[in-house]
Amino acid sequence: NNITYAAFLGEVGMDWQLAGFADVNRDGMSDMMLRNSGTGAFEVYNIRNDLIINAVGLGNVGLNWQFAGFGNFSSLGESDMILRDTSTGGLEVYDINSNNQITNAAFMGMVGLDWQVAGFGNFSSMPGETDMVMRNTATGGLEIYDIANNQITGATFLGMVGLEWQVAGVAPLSGAGRSDLVLRNVNTGAFEVYDISSNTITSFANLGQVGLDWQLGGLAVDPPIGSAASTDDIAQLAQAMAGFGGDGAGDDLAIAALASGTSPQDVLAMASIDDDSRGP
């Protein structure tokens, strides 16, 4: 837990903003993705030994499409990219090969804009899979989407958490290779972690409180694929599959809403509810 070295990578115009980090060229190193805030262009920087060794433009995408995160969505072991349309809720995955090239694009469907992407991880416990978790900004509901071969293959509702608990990120806090969900209370600064396995919350732990003048910078993840970018970029999630392409999932959930003061522990009681009625 010590800083062992610091290296200056160079300067980039302020119109280029950080999108996230992933092993794009599959060399075991973390590369950097930037996006031009004026044109929508994407640029990947391959980094090795604290040096930028290559830079490749991936093309332009309309600014109504926002970066959501990286993951192995194609099931090919790649660091693929998901974008979301801020006007329609559409989700699009871009497959990126080891030559820093977009090789394919697949539309995964539309989700009501009251559902925001919260993070990515292997929540299903299926080998090599990167799944997506979304959160309802009105109810606090959490939904997991299993993704394989660029398609959503299943959905699982985890329950509801009071909106004063915000998603901080996804990280392997319960053990190597795990994808656990971390929340933070915006009123107290308390941190809570949910251990997730096979699309189920298996346990939870309170990590303690930190003064609100301390803001989260990020969470360490297992290479090469993990949650991307800042805590703002991570704070998103999707609606129930029964509402896919509709206005939202709330009307389809046979679960009573909880009070806004619901503690994260209370979501565990919801996690055991049979969710078979909301299949893909």
Side-chain angles (χ1 to χ4, degrees), residues 24-26 44 46 54 56 58 96-103:
V24 178
N25 64 353
R26 297 170 68 180
V44 59
N46 299 140
N54 188 35
V56 179
L58 295 181
I96 305 175
N97 67 13
S98 59
N99 294 319
N100 298 320
Q101 298 295 320
I102 293 175
T103 59

Side-chain angles (χ1 to χ4, degrees), residues 54-88:
N54 188 35
V56 179
L58 295 181
N60 294 17
V61 181
L63 292 171
N64 54 303
W65 289 90
Q66 289 188 349
F67 176 83
F70 288 113
N72 181 25
F73 308 118
S74 64
S75 302
L76 298 175
E78 300 172 340
S79 293
D80 308 310
M81 176 172 66
I82 285 184
L83 301 184
R84 192 180 189 198
D85 192 314
T86 58
S87 58
T88 67

Side-chain angles (χ1 to χ4, degrees), residues 160-183:
M160 300 182 186
V161 182
L163 293 174
E164 71 273 17
W165 289 90
Q166 294 186 351
V167 176
V170 178
L173 300 189
S174 62
R178 299 289 298 271
S179 295
D180 306 314
L181 186 67
V182 180
L183 302 181

Side-chain angles (χ1 to χ4, degrees), residues 13 22 44 112 146 165 171 177 185 204 235 262 267 280:
V44 59
D146 299 336
W165 289 90
N185 190 301
F204 66 88
T262 303
V267 78

Side-chain angles (χ1 to χ4, degrees), residues 118-126 129-135 141-146 155-159 161 167-183 192-205 219 222 227 236-237 264 267-268 271:
F120 297 91
N122 185 9
F123 306 114
S124 65
S125 301
M126 295 295 291
E129 192 168 284
T130 303
D131 311 306
M132 176 174 63
V133 61
M134 303 188 85
R135 192 178 195 197
L142 292 164
E143 185 91 13
I144 287 177
Y145 291 88
D146 299 336
T156 303
F157 186 69
L158 291 180
V161 182
V167 176
V170 178
L173 300 189
S174 62
R178 299 289 298 271
S179 295
D180 306 314
L181 186 67
V182 180
L183 302 181
E192 188 91 12
V193 58
Y194 293 92
D195 301 336
I196 300 177
S197 179
S198 300
N199 292 332
T200 300
I201 296 174
T202 58
S203 61
F204 66 88
L219 294 170
D222 290 338
S227 303
Q236 304 169 329
L237 198 62
V267 78
L268 294 173

